[in-house]
PDB file of all heavy atoms in Angstrom:
ATOM      1  N   TYR A  75     100.116  98.185 105.769  1.00 98.00           N
ATOM      2  CA  TYR A  75      99.293  97.011 106.075  1.00 98.00           C
ATOM      3  C   TYR A  75      99.131  96.133 104.836  1.00 98.00           C
ATOM      4  O   TYR A  75      99.235  94.909 104.910  1.00 98.00           O
ATOM      5  CB  TYR A  75      97.916  97.422 106.606  1.00 98.00           C
ATOM      6  CG  TYR A  75      97.925  97.832 108.056  1.00 98.00           C
ATOM      7  CD1 TYR A  75      97.896  99.173 108.417  1.00 98.00           C
ATOM      8  CD2 TYR A  75      97.947  96.875 109.067  1.00 98.00           C
ATOM      9  CE1 TYR A  75      97.900  99.561 109.749  1.00 98.00           C
ATOM     10  CE2 TYR A  75      97.949  97.253 110.406  1.00 98.00           C
ATOM     11  CZ  TYR A  75      97.926  98.593 110.735  1.00 98.00           C
ATOM     12  OH  TYR A  75      97.926  98.968 112.059  1.00 98.00           O
ATOM     13  N   ASN A  76      98.870  96.754 103.686  1.00 97.00           N
ATOM     14  CA  ASN A  76      98.725  95.994 102.448  1.00 97.00           C
ATOM     15  C   ASN A  76     100.014  95.255 102.107  1.00 97.00           C
ATOM     16  O   ASN A  76      99.996  94.062 101.779  1.00 97.00           O
ATOM     17  CB  ASN A  76      98.336  96.929 101.296  1.00 97.00           C
ATOM     18  CG  ASN A  76      98.250  96.207  99.979  1.00 97.00           C
ATOM     19  OD1 ASN A  76      97.458  95.285  99.799  1.00 97.00           O
ATOM     20  ND2 ASN A  76      99.078  96.613  99.026  1.00 97.00           N
ATOM     21  N   ASN A  77     101.132  95.948 102.196  1.00 96.00           N
ATOM     22  CA  ASN A  77     102.401  95.331 101.825  1.00 96.00           C
ATOM     23  C   ASN A  77     102.832  94.263 102.833  1.00 96.00           C
ATOM     24  O   ASN A  77     103.405  93.238 102.444  1.00 96.00           O
ATOM     25  CB  ASN A  77     103.476  96.398 101.653  1.00 96.00           C
ATOM     26  CG  ASN A  77     103.213  97.270 100.448  1.00 96.00           C
ATOM     27  OD1 ASN A  77     102.504  96.878  99.524  1.00 96.00           O
ATOM     28  ND2 ASN A  77     103.768  98.463 100.441  1.00 96.00           N
ATOM     29  N   ARG A  78     102.550  94.490 104.112  1.00 98.00           N
ATOM     30  CA  ARG A  78     102.857  93.438 105.095  1.00 98.00           C
ATOM     31  C   ARG A  78     101.979  92.223 104.832  1.00 98.00           C
ATOM     32  O   ARG A  78     102.436  91.076 104.918  1.00 98.00           O
ATOM     33  CB  ARG A  78     102.664  93.953 106.520  1.00 98.00           C
ATOM     34  CG  ARG A  78     103.088  92.910 107.567  1.00 98.00           C
ATOM     35  CD  ARG A  78     103.073  93.458 108.965  1.00 98.00           C
ATOM     36  NE  ARG A  78     101.712  93.690 109.444  1.00 98.00           N
ATOM     37  CZ  ARG A  78     101.424  94.132 110.657  1.00 98.00           C
ATOM     38  NH1 ARG A  78     102.398  94.424 111.518  1.00 98.00           N
ATOM     39  NH2 ARG A  78     100.172  94.320 111.023  1.00 98.00           N
ATOM     40  N   ALA A  79     100.724  92.464 104.460  1.00 98.00           N
ATOM     41  CA  ALA A  79      99.834  91.357 104.113  1.00 98.00           C
ATOM     42  C   ALA A  79     100.397  90.573 102.928  1.00 98.00           C
ATOM     43  O   ALA A  79     100.351  89.338 102.918  1.00 98.00           O
ATOM     44  CB  ALA A  79      98.439  91.880 103.787  1.00 98.00           C
ATOM     45  N   ASN A  80     100.933  91.269 101.930  1.00 98.00           N
ATOM     46  CA  ASN A  80     101.516  90.583 100.775  1.00 98.00           C
ATOM     47  C   ASN A  80     102.668  89.680 101.191  1.00 98.00           C
ATOM     48  O   ASN A  80     102.803  88.556 100.692  1.00 98.00           O
ATOM     49  CB  ASN A  80     101.984  91.596  99.729  1.00 98.00           C
ATOM     50  CG  ASN A  80     100.847  92.310  99.052  1.00 98.00           C
ATOM     51  OD1 ASN A  80      99.706  91.844  99.047  1.00 98.00           O
ATOM     52  ND2 ASN A  80     101.135  93.468  98.488  1.00 98.00           N
ATOM     53  N   ALA A  81     103.504  90.149 102.109  1.00 98.00           N
ATOM     54  CA  ALA A  81     104.623  89.328 102.592  1.00 98.00           C
ATOM     55  C   ALA A  81     104.105  88.134 103.395  1.00 98.00           C
ATOM     56  O   ALA A  81     104.617  87.016 103.262  1.00 98.00           O
ATOM     57  CB  ALA A  81     105.582  90.178 103.430  1.00 98.00           C
ATOM     58  N   ARG A  82     103.101  88.360 104.204  1.00 98.00           N
ATOM     59  CA  ARG A  82     102.516  87.261 104.980  1.00 98.00           C
ATOM     60  C   ARG A  82     101.850  86.243 104.054  1.00 98.00           C
ATOM     61  O   ARG A  82     101.960  85.039 104.271  1.00 98.00           O
ATOM     62  CB  ARG A  82     101.530  87.808 106.004  1.00 98.00           C
ATOM     63  CG  ARG A  82     102.249  88.522 107.144  1.00 98.00           C
ATOM     64  CD  ARG A  82     101.309  89.177 108.120  1.00 98.00           C
ATOM     65  NE  ARG A  82     102.017  89.469 109.363  1.00 98.00           N
ATOM     66  CZ  ARG A  82     101.512  90.172 110.350  1.00 98.00           C
ATOM     67  NH1 ARG A  82     100.283  90.673 110.254  1.00 98.00           N
ATOM     68  NH2 ARG A  82     102.214  90.397 111.436  1.00 98.00           N
ATOM     69  N   TYR A  83     101.189  86.730 103.033  1.00 98.00           N
ATOM     70  CA  TYR A  83     100.578  85.844 102.028  1.00 98.00           C
ATOM     71  C   TYR A  83     101.667  85.004 101.354  1.00 98.00           C
ATOM     72  O   TYR A  83     101.513  83.798 101.198  1.00 98.00           O
ATOM     73  CB  TYR A  83      99.827  86.703 101.008  1.00 98.00           C
ATOM     74  CG  TYR A  83      99.193  85.943  99.860  1.00 98.00           C
ATOM     75  CD1 TYR A  83      97.859  85.596  99.899  1.00 98.00           C
ATOM     76  CD2 TYR A  83      99.919  85.608  98.725  1.00 98.00           C
ATOM     77  CE1 TYR A  83      97.257  84.920  98.844  1.00 98.00           C
ATOM     78  CE2 TYR A  83      99.335  84.938  97.667  1.00 98.00           C
ATOM     79  CZ  TYR A  83      98.011  84.594  97.726  1.00 98.00           C
ATOM     80  OH  TYR A  83      97.421  83.917  96.685  1.00 98.00           O
ATOM     81  N   ALA A  84     102.757  85.645 100.980  1.00 97.00           N
ATOM     82  CA  ALA A  84     103.859  84.934 100.319  1.00 97.00           C
ATOM     83  C   ALA A  84     104.438  83.843 101.209  1.00 97.00           C
ATOM     84  O   ALA A  84     104.895  82.814 100.716  1.00 97.00           O
ATOM     85  CB  ALA A  84     104.953  85.921  99.907  1.00 97.00           C
ATOM     86  N   LYS A  85     104.402  84.056 102.519  1.00 97.00           N
ATOM     87  CA  LYS A  85     104.893  83.058 103.475  1.00 97.00           C
ATOM     88  C   LYS A  85     103.856  81.980 103.790  1.00 97.00           C
ATOM     89  O   LYS A  85     104.159  81.018 104.471  1.00 97.00           O
ATOM     90  CB  LYS A  85     105.301  83.735 104.787  1.00 97.00           C
ATOM     91  CG  LYS A  85     106.604  84.491 104.706  1.00 97.00           C
ATOM     92  CD  LYS A  85     107.037  84.946 106.078  1.00 97.00           C
ATOM     93  CE  LYS A  85     107.335  83.710 106.895  1.00 97.00           C
ATOM     94  NZ  LYS A  85     107.942  83.948 108.175  1.00 97.00           N
ATOM     95  N   GLY A  86     102.618  82.180 103.328  1.00 97.00           N
ATOM     96  CA  GLY A  86     101.565  81.213 103.617  1.00 97.00           C
ATOM     97  C   GLY A  86     100.830  81.471 104.918  1.00 97.00           C
ATOM     98  O   GLY A  86     100.055  80.630 105.370  1.00 97.00           O
ATOM     99  N   ASP A  87     101.047  82.630 105.524  1.00 98.00           N
ATOM    100  CA  ASP A  87     100.358  82.997 106.767  1.00 98.00           C
ATOM    101  C   ASP A  87      99.076  83.741 106.395  1.00 98.00           C
ATOM    102  O   ASP A  87      98.977  84.970 106.504  1.00 98.00           O
ATOM    103  CB  ASP A  87     101.274  83.863 107.633  1.00 98.00           C
ATOM    104  CG  ASP A  87     100.706  84.115 109.023  1.00 98.00           C
ATOM    105  OD1 ASP A  87      99.545  83.721 109.295  1.00 98.00           O
ATOM    106  OD2 ASP A  87     101.432  84.718 109.845  1.00 98.00           O
ATOM    107  N   TYR A  88      98.095  82.978 105.932  1.00 98.00           N
ATOM    108  CA  TYR A  88      96.890  83.556 105.345  1.00 98.00           C
ATOM    109  C   TYR A  88      96.009  84.282 106.342  1.00 98.00           C
ATOM    110  O   TYR A  88      95.411  85.304 106.015  1.00 98.00           O
ATOM    111  CB  TYR A  88      96.095  82.481 104.607  1.00 98.00           C
ATOM    112  CG  TYR A  88      96.879  81.818 103.492  1.00 98.00           C
ATOM    113  CD1 TYR A  88      96.764  80.454 103.262  1.00 98.00           C
ATOM    114  CD2 TYR A  88      97.748  82.536 102.677  1.00 98.00           C
ATOM    115  CE1 TYR A  88      97.484  79.835 102.242  1.00 98.00           C
ATOM    116  CE2 TYR A  88      98.466  81.930 101.671  1.00 98.00           C
ATOM    117  CZ  TYR A  88      98.331  80.580 101.452  1.00 98.00           C
ATOM    118  OH  TYR A  88      99.039  79.983 100.452  1.00 98.00           O
ATOM    119  N   ASP A  89      95.925  83.791 107.574  1.00 98.00           N
ATOM    120  CA  ASP A  89      95.097  84.466 108.577  1.00 98.00           C
ATOM    121  C   ASP A  89      95.638  85.870 108.875  1.00 98.00           C
ATOM    122  O   ASP A  89      94.876  86.835 108.929  1.00 98.00           O
ATOM    123  CB  ASP A  89      95.016  83.654 109.868  1.00 98.00           C
ATOM    124  CG  ASP A  89      94.214  82.375 109.723  1.00 98.00           C
ATOM    125  OD1 ASP A  89      93.355  82.301 108.819  1.00 98.00           O
ATOM    126  OD2 ASP A  89      94.445  81.437 110.520  1.00 98.00           O
ATOM    127  N   ALA A  90      96.953  85.962 109.065  1.00 98.00           N
ATOM    128  CA  ALA A  90      97.560  87.268 109.347  1.00 98.00           C
ATOM    129  C   ALA A  90      97.458  88.182 108.130  1.00 98.00           C
ATOM    130  O   ALA A  90      97.228  89.389 108.269  1.00 98.00           O
ATOM    131  CB  ALA A  90      99.015  87.093 109.769  1.00 98.00           C
ATOM    132  N   ALA A  91      97.612  87.619 106.937  1.00 98.00           N
ATOM    133  CA  ALA A  91      97.484  88.419 105.718  1.00 98.00           C
ATOM    134  C   ALA A  91      96.074  88.994 105.608  1.00 98.00           C
ATOM    135  O   ALA A  91      95.895  90.183 105.317  1.00 98.00           O
ATOM    136  CB  ALA A  91      97.820  87.577 104.493  1.00 98.00           C
ATOM    137  N   LEU A  92      95.073  88.164 105.865  1.00 98.00           N
ATOM    138  CA  LEU A  92      93.683  88.622 105.782  1.00 98.00           C
ATOM    139  C   LEU A  92      93.420  89.739 106.783  1.00 98.00           C
ATOM    140  O   LEU A  92      92.782  90.745 106.451  1.00 98.00           O
ATOM    141  CB  LEU A  92      92.725  87.450 106.004  1.00 98.00           C
ATOM    142  CG  LEU A  92      91.240  87.761 105.881  1.00 98.00           C
ATOM    143  CD1 LEU A  92      90.906  88.325 104.502  1.00 98.00           C
ATOM    144  CD2 LEU A  92      90.418  86.505 106.154  1.00 98.00           C
ATOM    145  N   ALA A  93      93.937  89.595 107.988  1.00 98.00           N
ATOM    146  CA  ALA A  93      93.756  90.641 108.999  1.00 98.00           C
ATOM    147  C   ALA A  93      94.380  91.955 108.537  1.00 98.00           C
ATOM    148  O   ALA A  93      93.796  93.035 108.709  1.00 98.00           O
ATOM    149  CB  ALA A  93      94.356  90.201 110.329  1.00 98.00           C
ATOM    150  N   ASP A  94      95.564  91.884 107.919  1.00 98.00           N
ATOM    151  CA  ASP A  94      96.216  93.101 107.433  1.00 98.00           C
ATOM    152  C   ASP A  94      95.472  93.717 106.253  1.00 98.00           C
ATOM    153  O   ASP A  94      95.335  94.940 106.173  1.00 98.00           O
ATOM    154  CB  ASP A  94      97.670  92.821 107.040  1.00 98.00           C
ATOM    155  CG  ASP A  94      98.617  92.833 108.229  1.00 98.00           C
ATOM    156  OD1 ASP A  94      98.227  93.264 109.328  1.00 98.00           O
ATOM    157  OD2 ASP A  94      99.785  92.415 108.046  1.00 98.00           O
ATOM    158  N   TYR A  95      94.995  92.884 105.324  1.00 98.00           N
ATOM    159  CA  TYR A  95      94.206  93.439 104.216  1.00 98.00           C
ATOM    160  C   TYR A  95      92.963  94.143 104.758  1.00 98.00           C
ATOM    161  O   TYR A  95      92.609  95.237 104.313  1.00 98.00           O
ATOM    162  CB  TYR A  95      93.792  92.343 103.224  1.00 98.00           C
ATOM    163  CG  TYR A  95      94.907  91.791 102.374  1.00 98.00           C
ATOM    164  CD1 TYR A  95      95.010  90.430 102.143  1.00 98.00           C
ATOM    165  CD2 TYR A  95      95.854  92.620 101.773  1.00 98.00           C
ATOM    166  CE1 TYR A  95      96.022  89.900 101.352  1.00 98.00           C
ATOM    167  CE2 TYR A  95      96.872  92.102 100.982  1.00 98.00           C
ATOM    168  CZ  TYR A  95      96.950  90.746 100.775  1.00 98.00           C
ATOM    169  OH  TYR A  95      97.944  90.225  99.990  1.00 98.00           O
ATOM    170  N   ASN A  96      92.310  93.520 105.720  1.00 98.00           N
ATOM    171  CA  ASN A  96      91.103  94.123 106.303  1.00 98.00           C
ATOM    172  C   ASN A  96      91.426  95.454 106.984  1.00 98.00           C
ATOM    173  O   ASN A  96      90.663  96.417 106.867  1.00 98.00           O
ATOM    174  CB  ASN A  96      90.438  93.160 107.283  1.00 98.00           C
ATOM    175  CG  ASN A  96      89.799  91.971 106.587  1.00 98.00           C
ATOM    176  OD1 ASN A  96      89.502  92.013 105.392  1.00 98.00           O
ATOM    177  ND2 ASN A  96      89.593  90.897 107.321  1.00 98.00           N
TER     178      ASN A  96
END
Side-chain angles (χ1 to χ4, degrees):
Y75 281 102
N76 177 61
N77 292 338
R78 185 173 71 178
N80 291 340
R82 288 175 163 172
Y83 177 97
K85 285 189 65 172
D87 188 354
Y88 301 141
D89 290 336
L92 183 58
D94 278 348
Y95 288 137
N96 290 339

